[in-house]
Amino acid sequence: MTDLIISVEHVCKSVTDSTGTLQILRDIDFALKAKETAAIVGASGSGKSTLLSIVAGLDTPTSGTVRLAGQDLFAIDEDDRAALRAKKVGFVFQSFQLLGNLTALENVMLPLELADRKDARAAATEMLGRVGLSQRLHAYPKVLSGGEQQRVALARAFVVRPAVLLADEPTGSLDFATGEKIMELMFDLNREQCTTLVLVTHDKSIAARCDRRITIEAGRMLEEVDATS
């Protein structure tokens, strides 16, 4: 199907050490269309974050295929995967992953500058305003609250208008009220930009807001549930 933005085909992941082989993921198979939202859920250690890393091309499966916008991620080298991620993918992490020596504005400008965007400062300033941080442009991460840092991370992810946004426990480091505001903002931006959203979460209420729910249990994918039904 040409409208698929993500296709995960029979993906397995195992690691081997002196104690033997550990199967982390077993025959994971699903596909997402453009604009769909999907939550990957499961207990700690079930393989959720590993699956997200493989979808991003940051980790390599033992077997199987992952296609992003029609491109087989593991048929190209790491440099080409990095270039594809820069064009197509935004990331939001539990730990924010901001650069401490850069201001909020500079953190958001960074992916634009790497893409040689001449309007990096203006676009980053506009996006920080969109997430409610117009008064914090020149603040460094160490003086920002957790919620403010995650807003900067959202601005950095969405400023490049990615085809796909991958989020790993985006509210895991935040209190409930702040987390609710961050998720509301994430879903609002996602709708505005028509992005395909894939997020890892333990929060059932967040998962229920997504079009699809993909449950991983002991490395296996259980039957998908339509979270809106």
Side-chain angles (χ1 to χ4, degrees):
M1 296 177 63
T2 57
D3 61 345
L4 294 181
I5 188 70
I6 296 171
S7 180
V8 177
E9 304 166 12
H10 305 294
V11 162
C12 298
K13 176 69 176 182
S14 62
V15 294
T16 302
D17 60 18
S18 59
T19 63
T21 298
L22 173 64
Q23 292 291 137
I24 300 174
L25 295 172
R26 305 166 185 260
D27 198 30
I28 306 297
D29 198 273
F30 67 90
L32 296 173
K33 297 178 182 179
K35 305 180 187 180
E36 278 194 294
T37 59
I40 301 174
V41 299
S44 295
S46 60
K48 304 186 302 298
S49 292
T50 298
L51 176 56
L52 197 71
S53 292
I54 289 174
V55 169
L58 294 169
D59 196 358
T60 305
T62 305
S63 61
T65 302
V66 177
R67 300 182 194 278
L68 176 62
Q71 174 64 62
D72 183 344
L73 286 180
F74 304 105
I76 56 179
D77 63 25
E78 176 51 38
D79 287 344
D80 287 338
R81 282 199 294 275
L84 184 62
R85 280 194 296 272
K87 292 178 181 177
K88 299 290 186 181
V89 183
F91 295 93
V92 178
F93 302 96
Q94 178 177 340
S95 56
F96 317 135
Q97 298 289 331
L98 301 179
L99 296 178
N101 62 327
L102 300 183
T103 65
L105 180 60
E106 290 166 342
N107 266 283
V108 179
M109 287 174 61
L110 185 59
L112 298 171
E113 291 176 329
L114 292 173
D116 201 27
R117 285 270 298 271
K118 304 304 182 186
D119 63 338
R121 179 172 293 272
T125 300
E126 181 181 356
M127 184 56 72
L128 282 165
R130 175 65 184 82
V131 301
L133 292 178
S134 293
Q135 306 304 313
R136 305 291 269 163
L137 299 182
H138 304 295
Y140 287 90
K142 66 182 180 182
V143 300
L144 298 174
S145 69
E148 287 175 329
Q149 290 186 63
Q150 195 61 297
R151 286 172 182 267
V152 175
L154 283 178
R156 182 182 59 188
F158 279 105
V159 76
V160 296
R161 303 189 72 85
V164 175
L165 181 72
L166 304 178
D168 194 356
E169 297 285 2
T171 63
S173 298
L174 305 174
D175 63 77
F176 177 78
T178 303
E180 285 285 294
K181 293 177 182 177
I182 291 296
M183 290 310 305
E184 193 67 39
L185 181 57
M186 179 181 288
F187 281 110
D188 284 348
L189 289 169
N190 191 71
R191 283 190 295 270
E192 288 173 14
Q193 295 196 5
C194 299
T195 304
T196 299
L197 172 64
V198 184
L199 62 90
V200 166
T201 184
H202 285 94
D203 190 321
K204 293 180 180 179
S205 66
I206 292 174
R209 298 182 63 174
C210 294
D211 301 323
R212 308 267 294 278
R213 189 167 72 240
I214 299 166
T215 301
I216 306 297
E217 184 175 294
R220 295 186 183 278
M221 180 175 154
L222 304 184
E223 182 178 356
E224 282 191 77
V225 177
D226 182 346
T228 61
S229 62

PDB file of all heavy atoms in Angstrom, residues 183-213:
ATOM      1  N   MET A 183       0.732  16.271  27.038  1.00  0.00           N
ATOM      2  CA  MET A 183       0.092  15.370  26.075  1.00  0.00           C
ATOM      3  C   MET A 183      -0.953  16.100  25.252  1.00  0.00           C
ATOM      4  O   MET A 183      -1.091  15.850  24.046  1.00  0.00           O
ATOM      5  CB  MET A 183      -0.535  14.167  26.792  1.00  0.00           C
ATOM      6  CG  MET A 183       0.483  13.190  27.372  1.00  0.00           C
ATOM      7  SD  MET A 183       1.775  12.687  26.181  1.00  0.00           S
ATOM      8  CE  MET A 183       0.797  12.049  24.817  1.00  0.00           C
ATOM      9  N   GLU A 184      -1.693  17.010  25.880  1.00  0.00           N
ATOM     10  CA  GLU A 184      -2.676  17.796  25.137  1.00  0.00           C
ATOM     11  C   GLU A 184      -1.988  18.602  24.041  1.00  0.00           C
ATOM     12  O   GLU A 184      -2.453  18.655  22.895  1.00  0.00           O
ATOM     13  CB  GLU A 184      -3.420  18.737  26.091  1.00  0.00           C
ATOM     14  CG  GLU A 184      -4.666  19.368  25.487  1.00  0.00           C
ATOM     15  CD  GLU A 184      -5.757  18.350  25.211  1.00  0.00           C
ATOM     16  OE1 GLU A 184      -5.956  17.430  26.029  1.00  0.00           O
ATOM     17  OE2 GLU A 184      -6.404  18.480  24.149  1.00  0.00           O
ATOM     18  N   LEU A 185      -0.854  19.192  24.390  1.00  0.00           N
ATOM     19  CA  LEU A 185      -0.085  19.966  23.424  1.00  0.00           C
ATOM     20  C   LEU A 185       0.458  19.076  22.316  1.00  0.00           C
ATOM     21  O   LEU A 185       0.413  19.428  21.130  1.00  0.00           O
ATOM     22  CB  LEU A 185       1.051  20.684  24.145  1.00  0.00           C
ATOM     23  CG  LEU A 185       1.962  21.577  23.302  1.00  0.00           C
ATOM     24  CD1 LEU A 185       1.159  22.654  22.587  1.00  0.00           C
ATOM     25  CD2 LEU A 185       3.030  22.207  24.193  1.00  0.00           C
ATOM     26  N   MET A 186       0.963  17.898  22.683  1.00  0.00           N
ATOM     27  CA  MET A 186       1.504  16.978  21.680  1.00  0.00           C
ATOM     28  C   MET A 186       0.433  16.562  20.683  1.00  0.00           C
ATOM     29  O   MET A 186       0.653  16.581  19.464  1.00  0.00           O
ATOM     30  CB  MET A 186       2.106  15.742  22.352  1.00  0.00           C
ATOM     31  CG  MET A 186       2.659  14.734  21.361  1.00  0.00           C
ATOM     32  SD  MET A 186       3.349  13.250  22.130  1.00  0.00           S
ATOM     33  CE  MET A 186       4.841  13.912  22.847  1.00  0.00           C
ATOM     34  N   PHE A 187      -0.748  16.197  21.165  1.00  0.00           N
ATOM     35  CA  PHE A 187      -1.812  15.774  20.265  1.00  0.00           C
ATOM     36  C   PHE A 187      -2.307  16.943  19.413  1.00  0.00           C
ATOM     37  O   PHE A 187      -2.648  16.759  18.240  1.00  0.00           O
ATOM     38  CB  PHE A 187      -2.962  15.138  21.043  1.00  0.00           C
ATOM     39  CG  PHE A 187      -2.713  13.714  21.446  1.00  0.00           C
ATOM     40  CD1 PHE A 187      -2.501  13.374  22.775  1.00  0.00           C
ATOM     41  CD2 PHE A 187      -2.681  12.699  20.496  1.00  0.00           C
ATOM     42  CE1 PHE A 187      -2.262  12.052  23.140  1.00  0.00           C
ATOM     43  CE2 PHE A 187      -2.442  11.378  20.855  1.00  0.00           C
ATOM     44  CZ  PHE A 187      -2.236  11.053  22.183  1.00  0.00           C
ATOM     45  N   ASP A 188      -2.342  18.148  19.986  1.00  0.00           N
ATOM     46  CA  ASP A 188      -2.744  19.320  19.209  1.00  0.00           C
ATOM     47  C   ASP A 188      -1.770  19.566  18.054  1.00  0.00           C
ATOM     48  O   ASP A 188      -2.182  19.780  16.904  1.00  0.00           O
ATOM     49  CB  ASP A 188      -2.786  20.566  20.105  1.00  0.00           C
ATOM     50  CG  ASP A 188      -4.014  20.605  21.001  1.00  0.00           C
ATOM     51  OD1 ASP A 188      -4.942  19.798  20.782  1.00  0.00           O
ATOM     52  OD2 ASP A 188      -4.040  21.442  21.925  1.00  0.00           O
ATOM     53  N   LEU A 189      -0.470  19.555  18.358  1.00  0.00           N
ATOM     54  CA  LEU A 189       0.539  19.771  17.321  1.00  0.00           C
ATOM     55  C   LEU A 189       0.496  18.663  16.281  1.00  0.00           C
ATOM     56  O   LEU A 189       0.672  18.903  15.081  1.00  0.00           O
ATOM     57  CB  LEU A 189       1.929  19.847  17.961  1.00  0.00           C
ATOM     58  CG  LEU A 189       2.221  21.104  18.789  1.00  0.00           C
ATOM     59  CD1 LEU A 189       3.513  20.925  19.588  1.00  0.00           C
ATOM     60  CD2 LEU A 189       2.318  22.334  17.908  1.00  0.00           C
ATOM     61  N   ASN A 190       0.259  17.441  16.764  1.00  0.00           N
ATOM     62  CA  ASN A 190       0.201  16.303  15.851  1.00  0.00           C
ATOM     63  C   ASN A 190      -0.943  16.468  14.838  1.00  0.00           C
ATOM     64  O   ASN A 190      -0.773  16.220  13.645  1.00  0.00           O
ATOM     65  CB  ASN A 190       0.025  15.016  16.654  1.00  0.00           C
ATOM     66  CG  ASN A 190       0.227  13.783  15.809  1.00  0.00           C
ATOM     67  OD1 ASN A 190       1.337  13.474  15.412  1.00  0.00           O
ATOM     68  ND2 ASN A 190      -0.848  13.074  15.513  1.00  0.00           N
ATOM     69  N   ARG A 191      -2.107  16.898  15.336  1.00  0.00           N
ATOM     70  CA  ARG A 191      -3.246  17.121  14.425  1.00  0.00           C
ATOM     71  C   ARG A 191      -2.961  18.255  13.452  1.00  0.00           C
ATOM     72  O   ARG A 191      -3.265  18.156  12.262  1.00  0.00           O
ATOM     73  CB  ARG A 191      -4.513  17.421  15.244  1.00  0.00           C
ATOM     74  CG  ARG A 191      -5.156  16.193  15.875  1.00  0.00           C
ATOM     75  CD  ARG A 191      -6.514  16.530  16.443  1.00  0.00           C
ATOM     76  NE  ARG A 191      -6.425  17.480  17.545  1.00  0.00           N
ATOM     77  CZ  ARG A 191      -6.283  17.115  18.824  1.00  0.00           C
ATOM     78  NH1 ARG A 191      -6.222  15.834  19.144  1.00  0.00           N
ATOM     79  NH2 ARG A 191      -6.221  18.023  19.773  1.00  0.00           N
ATOM     80  N   GLU A 192      -2.368  19.332  13.957  1.00  0.00           N
ATOM     81  CA  GLU A 192      -2.081  20.493  13.109  1.00  0.00           C
ATOM     82  C   GLU A 192      -1.139  20.135  11.962  1.00  0.00           C
ATOM     83  O   GLU A 192      -1.310  20.605  10.834  1.00  0.00           O
ATOM     84  CB  GLU A 192      -1.452  21.610  13.949  1.00  0.00           C
ATOM     85  CG  GLU A 192      -2.414  22.294  14.900  1.00  0.00           C
ATOM     86  CD  GLU A 192      -1.698  23.270  15.809  1.00  0.00           C
ATOM     87  OE1 GLU A 192      -0.530  23.625  15.539  1.00  0.00           O
ATOM     88  OE2 GLU A 192      -2.306  23.677  16.825  1.00  0.00           O
ATOM     89  N   GLN A 193      -0.145  19.309  12.253  1.00  0.00           N
ATOM     90  CA  GLN A 193       0.874  18.995  11.252  1.00  0.00           C
ATOM     91  C   GLN A 193       0.615  17.685  10.517  1.00  0.00           C
ATOM     92  O   GLN A 193       1.399  17.307   9.641  1.00  0.00           O
ATOM     93  CB  GLN A 193       2.254  18.960  11.921  1.00  0.00           C
ATOM     94  CG  GLN A 193       2.688  20.309  12.474  1.00  0.00           C
ATOM     95  CD  GLN A 193       4.174  20.365  12.785  1.00  0.00           C
ATOM     96  OE1 GLN A 193       4.927  19.431  12.520  1.00  0.00           O
ATOM     97  NE2 GLN A 193       4.613  21.469  13.362  1.00  0.00           N
ATOM     98  N   CYS A 194      -0.483  16.978  10.873  1.00  0.00           N
ATOM     99  CA  CYS A 194      -0.835  15.716  10.202  1.00  0.00           C
ATOM    100  C   CYS A 194       0.304  14.704  10.269  1.00  0.00           C
ATOM    101  O   CYS A 194       0.630  14.021   9.288  1.00  0.00           O
ATOM    102  CB  CYS A 194      -1.222  15.980   8.752  1.00  0.00           C
ATOM    103  SG  CYS A 194      -2.660  17.054   8.572  1.00  0.00           S
ATOM    104  N   THR A 195       0.943  14.631  11.435  1.00  0.00           N
ATOM    105  CA  THR A 195       2.064  13.727  11.656  1.00  0.00           C
ATOM    106  C   THR A 195       1.566  12.341  12.052  1.00  0.00           C
ATOM    107  O   THR A 195       0.525  12.214  12.693  1.00  0.00           O
ATOM    108  CB  THR A 195       2.956  14.290  12.784  1.00  0.00           C
ATOM    109  OG1 THR A 195       3.365  15.599  12.433  1.00  0.00           O
ATOM    110  CG2 THR A 195       4.164  13.422  13.033  1.00  0.00           C
ATOM    111  N   THR A 196       2.311  11.308  11.697  1.00  0.00           N
ATOM    112  CA  THR A 196       2.067   9.973  12.236  1.00  0.00           C
ATOM    113  C   THR A 196       2.777   9.885  13.579  1.00  0.00           C
ATOM    114  O   THR A 196       3.985  10.111  13.660  1.00  0.00           O
ATOM    115  CB  THR A 196       2.603   8.893  11.290  1.00  0.00           C
ATOM    116  OG1 THR A 196       1.928   9.004  10.037  1.00  0.00           O
ATOM    117  CG2 THR A 196       2.370   7.495  11.856  1.00  0.00           C
ATOM    118  N   LEU A 197       2.033   9.596  14.626  1.00  0.00           N
ATOM    119  CA  LEU A 197       2.575   9.573  15.986  1.00  0.00           C
ATOM    120  C   LEU A 197       2.649   8.148  16.509  1.00  0.00           C
ATOM    121  O   LEU A 197       1.660   7.407  16.457  1.00  0.00           O
ATOM    122  CB  LEU A 197       1.692  10.412  16.913  1.00  0.00           C
ATOM    123  CG  LEU A 197       1.985  10.353  18.418  1.00  0.00           C
ATOM    124  CD1 LEU A 197       3.361  10.927  18.727  1.00  0.00           C
ATOM    125  CD2 LEU A 197       0.917  11.092  19.199  1.00  0.00           C
ATOM    126  N   VAL A 198       3.830   7.759  16.990  1.00  0.00           N
ATOM    127  CA  VAL A 198       4.010   6.466  17.644  1.00  0.00           C
ATOM    128  C   VAL A 198       4.611   6.741  19.013  1.00  0.00           C
ATOM    129  O   VAL A 198       5.688   7.333  19.112  1.00  0.00           O
ATOM    130  CB  VAL A 198       4.942   5.531  16.851  1.00  0.00           C
ATOM    131  CG1 VAL A 198       5.016   4.159  17.534  1.00  0.00           C
ATOM    132  CG2 VAL A 198       4.473   5.383  15.412  1.00  0.00           C
ATOM    133  N   LEU A 199       3.902   6.347  20.071  1.00  0.00           N
ATOM    134  CA  LEU A 199       4.429   6.625  21.399  1.00  0.00           C
ATOM    135  C   LEU A 199       4.405   5.387  22.282  1.00  0.00           C
ATOM    136  O   LEU A 199       3.510   4.550  22.191  1.00  0.00           O
ATOM    137  CB  LEU A 199       3.676   7.779  22.062  1.00  0.00           C
ATOM    138  CG  LEU A 199       2.186   7.657  22.364  1.00  0.00           C
ATOM    139  CD1 LEU A 199       1.952   7.065  23.746  1.00  0.00           C
ATOM    140  CD2 LEU A 199       1.516   9.017  22.289  1.00  0.00           C
ATOM    141  N   VAL A 200       5.441   5.273  23.095  1.00  0.00           N
ATOM    142  CA  VAL A 200       5.524   4.233  24.114  1.00  0.00           C
ATOM    143  C   VAL A 200       4.988   4.826  25.404  1.00  0.00           C
ATOM    144  O   VAL A 200       5.392   5.925  25.814  1.00  0.00           O
ATOM    145  CB  VAL A 200       6.980   3.764  24.305  1.00  0.00           C
ATOM    146  CG1 VAL A 200       7.121   2.943  25.584  1.00  0.00           C
ATOM    147  CG2 VAL A 200       7.440   2.949  23.109  1.00  0.00           C
ATOM    148  N   THR A 201       4.070   4.128  26.050  1.00  0.00           N
ATOM    149  CA  THR A 201       3.510   4.647  27.295  1.00  0.00           C
ATOM    150  C   THR A 201       3.021   3.520  28.195  1.00  0.00           C
ATOM    151  O   THR A 201       2.638   2.450  27.723  1.00  0.00           O
ATOM    152  CB  THR A 201       2.346   5.626  26.999  1.00  0.00           C
ATOM    153  OG1 THR A 201       1.878   6.191  28.231  1.00  0.00           O
ATOM    154  CG2 THR A 201       1.193   4.919  26.292  1.00  0.00           C
ATOM    155  N   HIS A 202       3.051   3.803  29.520  1.00  0.00           N
ATOM    156  CA  HIS A 202       2.414   2.920  30.489  1.00  0.00           C
ATOM    157  C   HIS A 202       1.013   3.422  30.824  1.00  0.00           C
ATOM    158  O   HIS A 202       0.242   2.736  31.501  1.00  0.00           O
ATOM    159  CB  HIS A 202       3.227   2.880  31.794  1.00  0.00           C
ATOM    160  CG  HIS A 202       4.475   2.068  31.713  1.00  0.00           C
ATOM    161  ND1 HIS A 202       5.712   2.601  31.420  1.00  0.00           N
ATOM    162  CD2 HIS A 202       4.676   0.740  31.890  1.00  0.00           C
ATOM    163  CE1 HIS A 202       6.626   1.641  31.434  1.00  0.00           C
ATOM    164  NE2 HIS A 202       6.019   0.509  31.709  1.00  0.00           N
ATOM    165  N   ASP A 203       0.703   4.640  30.384  1.00  0.00           N
ATOM    166  CA  ASP A 203      -0.524   5.321  30.788  1.00  0.00           C
ATOM    167  C   ASP A 203      -1.689   4.902  29.892  1.00  0.00           C
ATOM    168  O   ASP A 203      -1.726   5.227  28.708  1.00  0.00           O
ATOM    169  CB  ASP A 203      -0.294   6.837  30.713  1.00  0.00           C
ATOM    170  CG  ASP A 203      -1.419   7.641  31.347  1.00  0.00           C
ATOM    171  OD1 ASP A 203      -2.589   7.245  31.180  1.00  0.00           O
ATOM    172  OD2 ASP A 203      -1.117   8.661  32.000  1.00  0.00           O
ATOM    173  N   LYS A 204      -2.649   4.203  30.469  1.00  0.00           N
ATOM    174  CA  LYS A 204      -3.780   3.700  29.690  1.00  0.00           C
ATOM    175  C   LYS A 204      -4.623   4.832  29.108  1.00  0.00           C
ATOM    176  O   LYS A 204      -5.183   4.703  28.019  1.00  0.00           O
ATOM    177  CB  LYS A 204      -4.651   2.782  30.555  1.00  0.00           C
ATOM    178  CG  LYS A 204      -3.970   1.483  30.948  1.00  0.00           C
ATOM    179  CD  LYS A 204      -4.890   0.622  31.798  1.00  0.00           C
ATOM    180  CE  LYS A 204      -4.209  -0.687  32.188  1.00  0.00           C
ATOM    181  NZ  LYS A 204      -5.091  -1.530  33.033  1.00  0.00           N
ATOM    182  N   SER A 205      -4.717   5.951  29.830  1.00  0.00           N
ATOM    183  CA  SER A 205      -5.530   7.068  29.332  1.00  0.00           C
ATOM    184  C   SER A 205      -4.887   7.703  28.112  1.00  0.00           C
ATOM    185  O   SER A 205      -5.581   8.145  27.194  1.00  0.00           O
ATOM    186  CB  SER A 205      -5.733   8.112  30.439  1.00  0.00           C
ATOM    187  OG  SER A 205      -4.517   8.728  30.804  1.00  0.00           O
ATOM    188  N   ILE A 206      -3.555   7.745  28.082  1.00  0.00           N
ATOM    189  CA  ILE A 206      -2.861   8.265  26.905  1.00  0.00           C
ATOM    190  C   ILE A 206      -3.035   7.307  25.733  1.00  0.00           C
ATOM    191  O   ILE A 206      -3.344   7.708  24.614  1.00  0.00           O
ATOM    192  CB  ILE A 206      -1.368   8.484  27.209  1.00  0.00           C
ATOM    193  CG1 ILE A 206      -1.189   9.629  28.219  1.00  0.00           C
ATOM    194  CG2 ILE A 206      -0.590   8.781  25.926  1.00  0.00           C
ATOM    195  CD1 ILE A 206       0.234   9.823  28.682  1.00  0.00           C
ATOM    196  N   ALA A 207      -2.859   6.013  26.004  1.00  0.00           N
ATOM    197  CA  ALA A 207      -3.014   5.013  24.948  1.00  0.00           C
ATOM    198  C   ALA A 207      -4.407   5.050  24.343  1.00  0.00           C
ATOM    199  O   ALA A 207      -4.582   4.884  23.127  1.00  0.00           O
ATOM    200  CB  ALA A 207      -2.712   3.624  25.503  1.00  0.00           C
ATOM    201  N   ALA A 208      -5.404   5.317  25.183  1.00  0.00           N
ATOM    202  CA  ALA A 208      -6.789   5.321  24.714  1.00  0.00           C
ATOM    203  C   ALA A 208      -7.075   6.475  23.764  1.00  0.00           C
ATOM    204  O   ALA A 208      -8.057   6.436  23.008  1.00  0.00           O
ATOM    205  CB  ALA A 208      -7.738   5.388  25.902  1.00  0.00           C
ATOM    206  N   ARG A 209      -6.219   7.489  23.762  1.00  0.00           N
ATOM    207  CA  ARG A 209      -6.414   8.638  22.868  1.00  0.00           C
ATOM    208  C   ARG A 209      -5.878   8.363  21.461  1.00  0.00           C
ATOM    209  O   ARG A 209      -6.123   9.150  20.549  1.00  0.00           O
ATOM    210  CB  ARG A 209      -5.741   9.872  23.454  1.00  0.00           C
ATOM    211  CG  ARG A 209      -6.316  10.298  24.782  1.00  0.00           C
ATOM    212  CD  ARG A 209      -5.656  11.553  25.310  1.00  0.00           C
ATOM    213  NE  ARG A 209      -5.895  12.695  24.429  1.00  0.00           N
ATOM    214  CZ  ARG A 209      -5.527  13.932  24.733  1.00  0.00           C
ATOM    215  NH1 ARG A 209      -4.923  14.176  25.878  1.00  0.00           N
ATOM    216  NH2 ARG A 209      -5.771  14.925  23.886  1.00  0.00           N
ATOM    217  N   CYS A 210      -5.144   7.281  21.293  1.00  0.00           N
ATOM    218  CA  CYS A 210      -4.547   6.961  19.996  1.00  0.00           C
ATOM    219  C   CYS A 210      -5.500   6.134  19.139  1.00  0.00           C
ATOM    220  O   CYS A 210      -6.377   5.439  19.650  1.00  0.00           O
ATOM    221  CB  CYS A 210      -3.238   6.195  20.204  1.00  0.00           C
ATOM    222  SG  CYS A 210      -1.943   7.173  20.998  1.00  0.00           S
ATOM    223  N   ASP A 211      -5.306   6.197  17.831  1.00  0.00           N
ATOM    224  CA  ASP A 211      -6.129   5.416  16.907  1.00  0.00           C
ATOM    225  C   ASP A 211      -5.894   3.919  17.072  1.00  0.00           C
ATOM    226  O   ASP A 211      -6.809   3.116  16.906  1.00  0.00           O
ATOM    227  CB  ASP A 211      -5.795   5.793  15.450  1.00  0.00           C
ATOM    228  CG  ASP A 211      -6.019   7.260  15.146  1.00  0.00           C
ATOM    229  OD1 ASP A 211      -6.986   7.829  15.680  1.00  0.00           O
ATOM    230  OD2 ASP A 211      -5.221   7.824  14.379  1.00  0.00           O
ATOM    231  N   ARG A 212      -4.653   3.565  17.366  1.00  0.00           N
ATOM    232  CA  ARG A 212      -4.260   2.151  17.456  1.00  0.00           C
ATOM    233  C   ARG A 212      -3.540   1.899  18.769  1.00  0.00           C
ATOM    234  O   ARG A 212      -2.866   2.790  19.299  1.00  0.00           O
ATOM    235  CB  ARG A 212      -3.302   1.804  16.305  1.00  0.00           C
ATOM    236  CG  ARG A 212      -3.793   2.186  14.921  1.00  0.00           C
ATOM    237  CD  ARG A 212      -4.515   1.053  14.254  1.00  0.00           C
ATOM    238  NE  ARG A 212      -3.614  -0.068  13.974  1.00  0.00           N
ATOM    239  CZ  ARG A 212      -2.809  -0.123  12.906  1.00  0.00           C
ATOM    240  NH1 ARG A 212      -2.745   0.884  12.049  1.00  0.00           N
ATOM    241  NH2 ARG A 212      -2.063  -1.183  12.699  1.00  0.00           N
ATOM    242  N   ARG A 213      -3.662   0.677  19.262  1.00  0.00           N
ATOM    243  CA  ARG A 213      -2.900   0.275  20.444  1.00  0.00           C
ATOM    244  C   ARG A 213      -2.204  -1.042  20.125  1.00  0.00           C
ATOM    245  O   ARG A 213      -2.839  -2.023  19.751  1.00  0.00           O
ATOM    246  CB  ARG A 213      -3.800   0.130  21.666  1.00  0.00           C
ATOM    247  CG  ARG A 213      -3.012  -0.079  22.953  1.00  0.00           C
ATOM    248  CD  ARG A 213      -3.884   0.105  24.191  1.00  0.00           C
ATOM    249  NE  ARG A 213      -4.831  -0.982  24.388  1.00  0.00           N
ATOM    250  CZ  ARG A 213      -6.147  -0.845  24.417  1.00  0.00           C
ATOM    251  NH1 ARG A 213      -6.689   0.342  24.238  1.00  0.00           N
ATOM    252  NH2 ARG A 213      -6.934  -1.883  24.617  1.00  0.00           N
TER     253      ARG A 213
END
